[in-house]
Amino acid sequence: MDHLPEVIQELITKSNEAKNNAFCPYSNFRVGAALLTDDGTIIQGCNVENASYTLGICAERCAIFKAVSEGYRHFKAMAISTDVEKLYSTPCGACRQIMYEFGSDMDVYMTRPDLTYIKKTPRDILCYPFGPEELRMLKSGEVPKVDGDLNDNKMVDGTGDAKAHKKHKGDTAIPAQ
Amino acid sequence: MDHLPEVIQELITKSNEAKNNAFCPYSNFRVGAALLTDDGTIIQGCNVENASYTLGICAERCAIFKAVSEGYRHFKAMAISTDVEKLYSTPCGACRQIMYEFGSDMDVYMTRPDLTYIKKTPRDILCYPFGPEELRMLKSGEVPKVDGDLNDNKMVDGTGDAKAHKKHKGDTAIPAQ
Amino acid sequence: MDHLPEVIQELITKSNEAKNNAFCPYSNFRVGAALLTDDGTIIQGCNVENASYTLGICAERCAIFKAVSEGYRHFKAMAISTDVEKLYSTPCGACRQIMYEFGSDMDVYMTRPDLTYIKKTPRDILCYPFGPEELRMLKSGEVPKVDGDLNDNKMVDGTGDAKAHKKHKGDTAIPAQ
Amino acid sequence: MDHLPEVIQELITKSNEAKNNAFCPYSNFRVGAALLTDDGTIIQGCNVENASYTLGICAERCAIFKAVSEGYRHFKAMAISTDVEKLYSTPCGACRQIMYEFGSDMDVYMTRPDLTYIKKTPRDILCYPFGPEELRMLKSGEVPKVDGDLNDNKMVDGTGDAKAHKKHKGDTAIPAQ
């Protein structure tokens, strides 16, 4: 498996091991995650469910909250695993938001039990994000600097919807009724 | 304003009106949303914050939960508004997940106060989703039917990362240590 | 049924009706809630689940967020219903927190399908609360005014733990190591 | 401070240390928690906020999710700390619910910076709970065994509301309209 760095192979292996601690008596669906910090430490997380379903936590957020509580703020990569042969382990929207806060460009390995995977960044899977930078701009009233995503035509091009694009370019305003 | 159907113009206008009911004493950041149901009804939502920040709700989820509690299950479009001139109102990851559950292909208008907007679908902004169909497949062990996103190469093509693509195509397995 | 005001009888009936709109494909457990606003309006809520369990909402929070988005800020009473014969419908901790924000002294009717009930206030079931008043005091550094709960001995009496009580009364400080 | 076991003194000290890792750029309000597992290990947690306020986590839940991901399922005690001189650090409703799932009878030390505290159990501060046992009963249709709270008159006595009590005792049914 020389196509992946050893540390990433270990990350994926540890995300599978992490499933062993999953607390999922309500869904019986185990999820594991492993997070690679900027100093090379690997931190594992799993899903932790609650009798009031909405108060549980996913494996990805568990790993990140855990790492932050240990003082880490920047991450290089995350691996996610389930027991399902047929699908890659893609994170829910809430987990994408938490990943984005701490590592919009980290490599996220969404794996299958056979250890094949899809690799994306939080920025890829939370396109047109609302994150810390956006919130800062919202509060300061600034225009975005680096990332054009939030105010250029690429956003509309993104849909390949030429008509919407043309309209957007013209910035035609819709009058309040 | 004939470039948008009247109902969409009304939807955007009502998402702005919805901000008036926002309960945001902690962030002082008003958000409004308006949801178009399949029978043409428009339902408004706003952010509702809590002293325990994590227990509040965003405007988009507020509108959807409200509509579902009125018996609606399918939606055609949603508009989102804030008071910020410079940025389009993009939803957080949790709101994308809730939108996806009830209308993965609805038109989401992320607007600015000048009523210009970006139009996307939940599927566009929650790419490689984990949603009801995926959960059903996970539990049944089926392969995805319609949407190829979750098991063909487009997922890797998505990043335009040829190297990752090649590796993925080959489905090279990483052996457990 | 003259032992309860008609409006409360209607509230309890409507909390049972509200179950009909519950979206609970994951738990198959229907919950309904009905909220009485200070102008006598009754607003219904139900649980709305999500494929990512943690992102759903309970019936009680659904009803409150809905009411707030309609401009209501103060509530007189809430009724909660499930389909379970044997137990009263008690709210989860998150719902208690949301109730507390908008009506710490409203009457909460935790009912059974036979329409018998337990009546409590959010203050009763979220004792020693962390709420808006507490947060305001935290930020201002004030001492609590009205409610003694947060800094008098009743807190310790509450446990009937005489030893803890004595210690607390003396405010014996524990030295940092 | 020989009035408390050394391990509890250490627990309270570590809950204060845990604040140092708090990620709270949005509220600027640091919270720390320390959890004592049944094998004597102490696990620290802090609040971790997010640009989308509702997706952050409190210190208490952070510590518990972290411990569960390390394989712990039962806890003896938790200490909670903030920087506020005047108030005891009481948990929000969501945290009470998560505590209840894993240790309804553990000692929860709600402290002040001067290290004085209030001691309660999750059962004390989430009275008339909806927890795992209740959910099991709901699904099985059983009557509660051990804890009478959920179906005897003590629930109504709890408020000392004699009138409600009398009504409840009679189990007078409210007819559907």
Side-chain angles (χ1 to χ4, degrees):
Chain A
M1 282 305 67
D2 47 12
H3 88 273
L4 278 180
E6 261 189 28
V7 65
I8 298 302
Q9 295 181 40
E10 187 187 355
L11 189 71
I12 294 174
T13 302
K14 284 196 176 303
S15 74
N16 275 280
E17 287 172 5
K19 290 181 298 188
N20 297 329
N21 285 328
F23 178 76
C24 48
Y26 308 114
S27 72
N28 296 309
F29 178 48
R30 304 190 314 159
V31 185
L35 187 63
L36 181 63
T37 70
D38 49 10
D39 72 0
T41 304
I42 290 180
I43 291 173
Q44 296 170 293
C46 59
N47 52 327
V48 181
E49 300 185 340
N50 187 270
S52 180
Y53 286 15
T54 71
L55 296 179
I57 200 82
C58 298
E60 302 92 315
R61 280 178 280 169
C62 179
I64 292 174
F65 291 144
K66 195 171 160 182
V68 171
S69 75
E70 297 297 330
Y72 294 104
R73 293 296 187 263
H74 304 290
F75 308 113
K76 288 178 174 170
M78 172 176 269
I80 311 167
S81 302
T82 72
D83 296 317
V84 183
E85 300 297 340
K86 303 260 179 57
L87 294 179
Y88 294 97
S89 308
T90 61
C92 79
C95 290
R96 295 173 192 211
Q97 184 75 39
I98 300 300
M99 290 175 188
Y100 189 88
E101 183 99 14
F102 297 105
S104 59
D105 295 316
M106 71 172 147
D107 291 326
V108 180
Y109 293 84
M110 305 179 280
T111 76
R112 295 195 297 193
D114 64 4
L115 301 183
T116 54
Y117 64 90
I118 301 297
K119 185 180 78 172
K120 296 288 174 190
T121 68
R123 190 176 297 280
D124 293 328
I125 59 177
L126 195 74
C127 42
Y128 317 129
F130 175 78
E133 177 65 5
E134 287 69 33
L135 187 63
R136 193 184 58 69
M137 292 187 299
L138 289 176
K139 299 206 163 178
S140 66
E142 274 174 57
V143 267
K145 288 192 198 72
V146 191
D147 185 346
D149 275 1
L150 283 161
N151 69 350
D152 69 19
N153 297 326
K154 285 203 308 299
M155 284 191 80
V156 177
D157 287 336
T159 57
D161 175 351
K163 273 177 68 218
H165 186 176
K166 201 155 68 272
K167 283 159 207 152
H168 176 233
K169 261 178 123 164
D171 256 2
T172 336
I174 299 159
Q177 329 287 65
Chain B
M1 283 300 68
D2 48 11
H3 88 270
L4 277 179
E6 261 189 29
V7 66
I8 298 301
Q9 295 180 41
E10 186 187 354
L11 190 71
I12 293 174
T13 303
K14 284 195 176 304
S15 74
N16 275 280
E17 287 172 7
K19 291 181 299 190
N20 297 328
N21 286 327
F23 177 76
C24 48
Y26 308 113
S27 70
N28 294 311
F29 178 47
R30 304 189 315 159
V31 185
L35 187 63
L36 180 63
T37 69
D38 49 8
D39 73 359
T41 304
I42 290 180
I43 291 173
Q44 296 170 294
C46 59
N47 51 327
V48 181
E49 300 185 341
N50 187 269
S52 181
Y53 285 15
T54 71
L55 296 178
I57 199 81
C58 299
E60 302 93 314
R61 281 178 279 169
C62 178
I64 292 174
F65 291 145
K66 196 171 160 182
V68 171
S69 76
E70 297 296 331
Y72 295 103
R73 294 293 187 265
H74 304 290
F75 308 113
K76 289 178 174 169
M78 172 176 267
I80 312 166
S81 302
T82 72
D83 295 317
V84 183
E85 299 299 339
K86 303 260 180 57
L87 293 178
Y88 294 96
S89 308
T90 61
C92 80
C95 290
R96 295 173 192 212
Q97 184 75 38
I98 300 301
M99 289 175 188
Y100 189 88
E101 183 99 16
F102 297 105
S104 59
D105 295 317
M106 70 172 148
D107 291 326
V108 179
Y109 292 85
M110 304 179 280
T111 77
R112 293 194 298 194
D114 65 3
L115 302 182
T116 54
Y117 64 90
I118 301 298
K119 186 181 76 172
K120 295 288 174 191
T121 68
R123 190 176 298 279
D124 293 328
I125 60 177
L126 194 74
C127 42
Y128 318 128
F130 175 79
E133 176 66 5
E134 288 68 35
L135 187 63
R136 193 183 59 67
M137 293 187 297
L138 289 177
K139 298 205 163 178
S140 67
E142 275 173 57
V143 265
K145 288 191 197 74
V146 191
D147 187 343
D149 275 2
L150 282 163
N151 70 352
D152 69 18
N153 297 325
K154 288 203 307 300
M155 284 191 81
V156 178
D157 287 334
T159 57
D161 176 350
K163 272 179 67 218
H165 185 176
K166 200 154 70 274
K167 283 161 204 149
H168 176 234
K169 258 177 130 167
D171 257 1
T172 336
I174 297 158
Q177 331 286 66
Chain C
M1 283 303 69
D2 49 11
H3 87 271
L4 278 179
E6 261 189 27
V7 67
I8 298 302
Q9 294 180 41
E10 187 187 354
L11 189 72
I12 293 175
T13 303
K14 283 195 176 303
S15 74
N16 274 280
E17 287 173 7
K19 291 181 298 188
N20 297 328
N21 286 328
F23 177 76
C24 48
Y26 309 113
S27 72
N28 294 311
F29 179 47
R30 305 190 313 158
V31 185
L35 187 62
L36 181 63
T37 68
D38 49 8
D39 74 359
T41 303
I42 290 180
I43 291 173
Q44 296 170 292
C46 59
N47 52 328
V48 181
E49 300 186 340
N50 188 269
S52 181
Y53 286 15
T54 71
L55 296 178
I57 199 81
C58 298
E60 302 93 315
R61 280 178 281 169
C62 178
I64 292 174
F65 291 145
K66 195 171 161 181
V68 170
S69 76
E70 297 296 331
Y72 295 102
R73 293 294 188 265
H74 304 290
F75 307 113
K76 288 178 175 170
M78 172 175 268
I80 311 166
S81 302
T82 72
D83 296 317
V84 182
E85 299 298 339
K86 305 258 179 59
L87 293 179
Y88 295 96
S89 309
T90 61
C92 79
C95 290
R96 296 174 191 212
Q97 184 75 38
I98 301 300
M99 290 176 189
Y100 189 89
E101 183 99 15
F102 297 106
S104 59
D105 295 317
M106 71 172 146
D107 292 326
V108 180
Y109 293 85
M110 304 178 280
T111 76
R112 293 194 299 194
D114 65 3
L115 302 183
T116 54
Y117 63 90
I118 302 297
K119 186 181 78 172
K120 296 288 174 191
T121 67
R123 189 175 299 279
D124 292 328
I125 60 176
L126 195 75
C127 40
Y128 318 129
F130 175 79
E133 176 64 8
E134 287 67 35
L135 187 63
R136 193 183 60 68
M137 292 187 299
L138 289 177
K139 299 204 162 178
S140 67
E142 273 174 60
V143 268
K145 289 192 197 75
V146 191
D147 186 346
D149 275 1
L150 282 163
N151 70 350
D152 69 19
N153 296 326
K154 286 201 308 299
M155 285 192 77
V156 178
D157 287 334
T159 58
D161 177 350
K163 272 179 66 218
H165 184 175
K166 198 154 72 274
K167 284 159 206 151
H168 176 234
K169 252 178 132 168
D171 256 1
T172 335
I174 298 159
Q177 330 288 69
Chain D
M1 278 306 77
D2 49 13
H3 88 272
L4 279 179
E6 262 189 27
V7 66
I8 297 302
Q9 295 181 41
E10 186 186 355
L11 190 72
I12 293 174
T13 302
K14 284 195 174 305
S15 74
N16 274 280
E17 287 173 5
K19 291 181 297 188
N20 297 328
N21 286 327
F23 177 76
C24 49
Y26 308 113
S27 72
N28 295 312
F29 177 47
R30 304 189 315 158
V31 185
L35 186 63
L36 180 63
T37 69
D38 49 9
D39 72 0
T41 303
I42 290 180
I43 292 173
Q44 295 171 293
C46 59
N47 51 329
V48 182
E49 300 186 339
N50 187 270
S52 181
Y53 286 14
T54 72
L55 296 179
I57 199 79
C58 299
E60 302 93 314
R61 280 177 281 168
C62 178
I64 293 174
F65 291 145
K66 194 171 161 182
V68 171
S69 77
E70 296 297 330
Y72 295 104
R73 294 294 187 266
H74 304 290
F75 308 113
K76 289 178 174 170
M78 172 176 268
I80 311 167
S81 302
T82 73
D83 296 317
V84 182
E85 299 299 339
K86 304 258 178 59
L87 293 179
Y88 295 96
S89 308
T90 61
C92 80
C95 289
R96 295 173 192 212
Q97 184 75 37
I98 300 300
M99 289 176 190
Y100 190 88
E101 183 99 16
F102 297 105
S104 58
D105 296 315
M106 71 172 147
D107 291 325
V108 180
Y109 293 85
M110 305 178 281
T111 76
R112 295 195 296 194
D114 65 4
L115 301 182
T116 54
Y117 64 90
I118 301 299
K119 186 180 77 172
K120 296 289 174 190
T121 67
R123 190 176 298 281
D124 293 328
I125 60 177
L126 195 75
C127 41
Y128 317 128
F130 175 79
E133 177 65 6
E134 288 67 36
L135 187 62
R136 192 183 60 67
M137 292 186 300
L138 289 176
K139 299 207 162 175
S140 66
E142 274 173 58
V143 267
K145 288 193 198 74
V146 191
D147 186 346
D149 275 1
L150 282 163
N151 69 349
D152 68 18
N153 296 325
K154 287 203 308 299
M155 284 192 79
V156 178
D157 287 335
T159 57
D161 176 351
K163 273 178 68 222
H165 186 177
K166 199 155 68 274
K167 283 161 207 151
H168 176 235
K169 256 178 132 168
D171 257 0
T172 337
I174 297 158
Q177 329 288 63

